[in-house]
Amino acid sequence: MNILITGAGRGLGLELTAAALGRGHAVIAGVRDPARGQAALTELAATYGDKLTLAVLDVADEAGIAALAASLKEQGQTLGAIINNAAVLNATDTVLEALDMEEMQRAIDTNLYGPMRVVKHLLTLLTEPGASIINVSSEAGSITNAYPNSYPYTISKTALNMFSQKLHVTLKDRGIHVLSVHPGWMPTDMGGSKAPLDPRISAEGILDLIEQRTGPQGHFRFVDYTGKDMEI
């Protein structure tokens, strides 16, 4: 299938790109800054050739996303999956009394509005059989397991889970598989060096969810990278 991945230049996004190519899929790797992660993506391109397409994609730039969608449509491109991976983690240890609301706006704009913009403009291309939308969320978005501080990230991920649920209700009759996925704690730029999970294991698990169309056992479309239901 053809898979579009946002935030594909580093971390989990890069691992998702490599894993998808390794399974024989074609990938449109969306990156905000083409210079960042260029070496790794160039190496993948040397191995997989035209199976990998690099696209400038800033999830905060709606006009740019619309232009990309129009270009792909003009080329006759179809998609089998969209993986909304791009995100920011900011103001994690800031108490509410000291929180700069611009940090809240930044997180909401990237972590919630970003996936909304991507789906808004690329949904019409999601026409391949067994299509999926995967929103990379976090256990931090669980209301049940709320913890102090980290307001921007946690609240934006809770809202992303709601977006996934609404997409599921809206698109299920079209056969489009929608999930919010907690990818696990990984040693990426966001997760830090102490995180225990190999990002490739998470990436392979997420691709399993796409290929096997694995869904939750319960009502909510919130699972971890193995397909296990998460507390909403």
Side-chain angles (χ1 to χ4, degrees):
M1 70 178 71
N2 296 305
I3 302 176
L4 182 137
I5 303 170
T6 69
R10 61 188 177 122
L12 178 61
L14 184 60
E15 292 293 345
L16 284 163
T17 299
L21 289 167
R23 294 187 182 204
H25 301 299
V27 176
I28 300 171
V31 293
R32 182 171 58 88
D33 179 3
R36 190 167 190 175
Q38 184 66 48
L41 288 171
T42 299
E43 184 176 337
L44 287 174
T47 301
Y48 294 102
D50 59 7
K51 283 284 190 178
L52 175 62
T53 301
L54 184 64
V56 177
L57 198 168
D58 181 349
V59 299
D61 177 11
E62 184 164 3
I65 296 168
L68 174 62
S71 175
L72 293 173
K73 185 174 183 179
E74 185 176 345
Q75 297 167 31
Q77 180 71 61
T78 61
L79 295 175
I82 295 170
I83 304 178
N84 283 307
N85 167 71
V88 295
L89 174 64
N90 56 328
T92 55
D93 297 321
T94 305
V95 298
L96 181 59
E97 296 89 334
L99 181 63
D100 184 340
M101 294 309 291
E102 289 189 1
E103 295 291 339
M104 277 298 309
Q105 291 172 350
R106 180 184 173 214
I108 294 292
D109 194 43
T110 302
N111 300 350
L112 173 63
Y113 295 162
M116 292 181 74
R117 293 183 187 106
V118 169
V119 175
K120 173 184 175 181
H121 291 285
L122 292 164
L123 182 60
T124 57
L125 301 179
L126 200 66
T127 58
E128 295 177 11
S132 297
I133 296 171
I134 302 295
N135 294 322
V136 178
S137 185
S138 171
E139 62 184 356
S142 168
I143 296 173
T144 301
N145 297 311
Y147 54 85
N149 301 330
S150 197
Y151 292 96
Y153 186 73
T154 60
I155 292 172
S156 65
K157 290 299 188 180
T158 302
L160 181 65
N161 291 345
M162 179 60 168
F163 176 52
S164 298
Q165 196 71 24
K166 291 182 73 67
L167 277 179
H168 166 66
V169 172
T170 303
L171 300 175
K172 61 182 180 180
D173 289 343
R174 290 167 55 177
I176 296 177
H177 180 60
V178 181
L179 292 174
S180 267
V181 179
H182 166 55
W185 184 25
M186 302 164 290
T188 60
D189 289 351
M190 186 177 290
S193 60
K194 295 181 180 179
L197 178 65
D198 184 339
R200 177 55 67 92
I201 293 175
S202 177
E204 296 287 358
I206 291 170
L207 287 167
D208 286 343
L209 296 178
I210 291 172
E211 292 177 350
Q212 299 171 19
R213 291 177 59 84
T214 304
Q217 297 298 309
H219 176 70
F220 298 111
R221 309 299 295 180
F222 185 29
V223 299
D224 71 7
Y225 68 95
T226 71
K228 179 182 176 182
D229 287 34
M230 296 289 294
E231 289 188 306
I232 201 73

